[in-house]
Amino acid sequence: MSASKSVEQNILPNDLFVGKTIFVTGGGSGINLGIARTFASLGASIGICGRSQERLDTAATGLRELGAKVSATSADVRVPEHLQAAMNASRDTIGDIDVLVCGAAGNFLVQGENLSFNGFKTVIDIDLVGSFNASRIAFEQLKRTRGSIIFITAPMAHLPHAYQAHVGPAKAGVEMLMKNLALEWGPYGIRSNSIIPGFIEDTEGMRRISSEANTGNFIQNIPLRRMGMTHEIGQAAAFLCSPLAAYITGTSLWIDGGQALSGSGFFNSNSAAFLASSTRT
Ligand code: HXC
Ligand code: NAP
């Protein structure tokens, strides 16, 4: 079976994360929900947060169908008190966090000269400050479990991409936060790594940077000639949080079908056409 036809299935042992708790910021949709679903199918209990309680409730139903115990409490990662309350609720119902996934993020395409001061700050606040808030608040729980953190970043953290003057610095900051925490929290047994997804199909992130009509153009520029799938990010996260990765910390794992090898030139020309054709959402 080719990788592109592979179904959402476990290759790792089904009980790998039994007795473990995963907390995912932005876990109500997309890649982050894909990660939560992978851990649920490997036996973990799942905590999720996001701003929309309705979205979290829908996600929680699906996670429970996979057999997971779930805590789903709305919280904006920019507001430490909200996040603290969500993590307290999770701790009280499903136990201390073994794995924290910092996945909440915001994105839109905009020319640097049109990016408002608040637009820049908003993305820095959600992606970078939100990742620090989550890590800082989860620390006491992670210290008790000798757990690990996965930060979800993006190619923009390492390569400049047009119309991403807010996302690039935000995600680059998250990459450095990951390394700082790996350094400081390693002595507590806490590991800290990041995942850099490439273009992942059927996600809000893709819908914000391209139209479906352009999907073929994207695929032509990816060496593996397909987009990634959310469960493939989930499987990589499961690996990084498993005993297989017990000595891995401070590392960034690209999961992009080799897309970064060709740089951001294609993204830049595609984005110019998409931005010119789209109305602001
Ligand atoms: C220009 C925009 C804009 C747009 C918002 N702003 N959308 N500027 N173009 N399309 C500006 C607003 O005018 C405002 O500035 C400031 O940003 C804050 O906007 P709000 O709507 O008040 O912010 P908020 O309600 O907090 O929402 C945050 C958001 C929103 C990021 C703007 O889009 C959101 O909630 N996104 C979450 C979902 C998401 O983005 N998912 C994709 C993640 S993918 P002013 O100056 O007017 O006050 C990703 C990487 C993908 O992160 C990588 C792909 C390879
Ligand atoms: P998504 O479904 O929009 O995921 C973002 C999630 O974050 C949503 O569930 C959203 O829920 C939540 N969120 C946003 N702002 C928040 C806030 N202030 N507080 C709490 N939660 C917040 O998009 P996605 O494409 O799957 O992206 C998921 C992650 O992958 C992001 O970190 C993104 O940068 C990264 N990524 C995506 C791609 C891709 O191809 N899609 C590529 C590279 C990296 P609410 O709106 O309910 O809050």
Side-chain angles (χ1 to χ4, degrees):
M1 184 166 52
S2 74
S4 61
K5 295 274 192 281
S6 72
V7 292
E8 187 176 352
Q9 63 186 7
N10 288 339
I11 295 161
L12 294 165
N14 286 334
D15 61 353
L16 186 62
F17 292 104
V18 167
K20 303 290 185 189
T21 293
I22 318 302
F23 190 96
V24 187
T25 70
S29 62
I31 290 173
N32 305 319
L33 178 56
I35 295 171
R37 289 179 60 84
T38 299
F39 278 97
S41 68
L42 295 170
S45 298
I46 312 290
I48 50 175
C49 77
R51 292 165 301 176
S52 162
Q53 187 64 51
E54 190 182 354
R55 172 177 277 179
L56 295 175
D57 290 341
T58 303
T61 300
L63 291 165
R64 289 190 181 104
E65 284 167 3
L66 292 170
K69 289 183 194 155
V70 181
S71 171
T73 306
S74 71
D76 188 320
V77 293
R78 293 169 286 190
V79 184
E81 297 76 19
H82 292 184
L83 213 37
Q84 181 82 62
M87 287 191 189
N88 286 353
S90 170
R91 179 199 60 209
D92 293 347
T93 53
I94 55 176
D96 277 337
I97 296 167
D98 294 278
V99 174
L100 171 68
V101 178
C102 296
N107 191 19
F108 45 82
L109 287 179
V110 62
Q111 297 93 336
E113 65 272 28
N114 293 333
L115 176 57
S116 73
F117 300 113
N118 190 40
F120 182 84
K121 181 177 183 303
T122 296
V123 170
I124 298 286
D125 281 349
I126 299 172
D127 294 27
L128 177 55
V129 179
S131 293
F132 172 74
N133 290 344
S135 307
R136 175 72 180 77
I137 292 166
F139 172 72
E140 287 300 331
Q141 296 189 39
L142 290 168
K143 193 166 82 160
R144 286 194 288 271
T145 60
R146 299 176 71 80
S148 75
I149 310 174
I150 300 290
F151 295 94
I152 307 302
T153 70
M156 293 80 188
H158 296 271
L159 294 166
H161 284 62
Y163 318 125
Q164 296 279 273
H166 44 341
V167 174
K171 292 293 196 182
V174 177
E175 286 281 324
M176 190 51 85
L177 174 66
M178 175 276 288
K179 291 178 192 174
N180 274 273
L181 297 185
L183 188 73
E184 288 194 41
W185 293 355
Y188 297 108
I190 299 172
R191 296 184 300 109
S192 170
N193 293 292
S194 74
I195 284 175
I196 307 170
F199 300 126
I200 307 302
E201 68 183 23
D202 197 21
T203 59
E204 184 60 24
M206 278 309 300
R207 285 186 280 276
R208 283 171 182 247
I209 60 170
S210 189
S211 66
E212 279 192 21
N214 288 355
T215 298
N217 296 339
F218 265 89
I219 288 170
Q220 275 174 25
N221 285 274
I222 300 171
L224 286 183
R225 293 291 187 272
R226 67 176 179 89
M227 291 202 197
M229 292 175 273
T230 58
H231 71 267
E232 292 176 316
I233 305 300
Q235 286 163 357
F239 159 71
L240 279 175
C241 300
S242 78
L244 291 168
Y247 203 54
I248 298 178
T249 194
T251 291
S252 308
L253 182 57
W254 291 83
I255 307 174
D256 70 343
Q259 192 273 332
L261 301 173
S262 60
S264 60
F266 169 70
F267 178 98
N268 300 344
S269 54
N270 189 66
S271 296
F274 180 62
L275 196 53
S277 69
S278 68
T279 52
R280 184 174 148 171
T281 53

